[in-house]
Amino acid sequence: MQLKSSLQAHWLFRAGVLLVLAAAVVGLFISHFTVPRLALSAHLVALLQGMFLVILGFLWPKLSLSSIQTRCAFWLFIYQAVAAPSSNLLAATWAAGNSIIPMAAGTAHGSTTQEVLINVGLRSAGAALIIGLLLVLWGLRRRPEA
């Protein structure tokens, strides 16, 4: 189990660094998007998600979870870390998203399909984050041994 936990931690590090790299690239092109404010949102969300995954990588070996719980938490965190910035990036590209992120999107409203895709992406990412955090909290229930 320790080997699997160590391997997952390594993948969390890799995914986190990749997200920070993606955020840097998006940051270079913010002004070229249809709605630059949404591109800035995608940039910041990807940067924060990347740092969050790296922090999770350090925490991962300390969790006391079953194999199934660990696998679920791992994939929930990977999913939400990609879905949230991707949804923001799609909104920035499509000039859409004011149905769910009006502060960033302003008046930018896409087609019904675009708005639904952005809504599903952001809401499912939020749900995955909450469930994953509950699993981590559960995994931290035991005190570390001295």
Side-chain angles (χ1 to χ4, degrees):
M1 174 95 158
Q2 182 64 23
L3 178 63
K4 184 153 187 144
S5 176
S6 174
L7 186 60
Q8 287 174 331
H10 183 72
W11 276 101
L12 288 168
F13 289 139
R14 290 175 96 175
V17 171
L18 183 62
L19 270 169
V20 171
L21 175 63
V25 171
V26 169
L28 293 173
F29 298 100
I30 287 174
S31 62
H32 300 289
F33 281 88
T34 309
V35 183
R37 191 168 173 91
L38 282 168
L40 175 63
S41 177
H43 165 74
L44 293 173
V45 169
L47 185 63
L48 290 171
Q49 290 293 349
M51 290 188 300
F52 177 64
L53 289 182
V54 169
I55 291 167
L56 265 177
F58 286 113
L59 181 64
W60 208 251
K62 299 185 181 312
L63 298 180
S64 179
L65 294 171
S66 72
S67 178
I68 292 172
Q69 290 170 328
T70 304
R71 197 174 315 120
C72 285
F74 176 81
W75 286 110
L76 285 168
F77 284 124
I78 295 294
Y79 169 76
Q80 67 84 31
V82 173
S86 297
S87 296
N88 279 290
L89 200 57
L90 286 174
T93 304
W94 291 336
N98 79 337
S99 63
I100 189 166
I101 39 178
M103 290 179 71
T107 59
H109 190 79
S111 70
T112 302
T113 303
Q114 291 170 336
E115 293 291 327
V116 166
L117 283 172
I118 294 164
N119 256 292
V120 167
L122 289 174
R123 290 182 191 278
S124 64
L129 177 63
I130 290 168
I131 294 166
L133 287 171
L134 288 171
L135 283 167
V136 165
L137 191 58
W138 178 254
L140 293 171
R141 69 193 179 280
R142 292 196 181 119
R143 282 190 175 173
E145 291 145 17

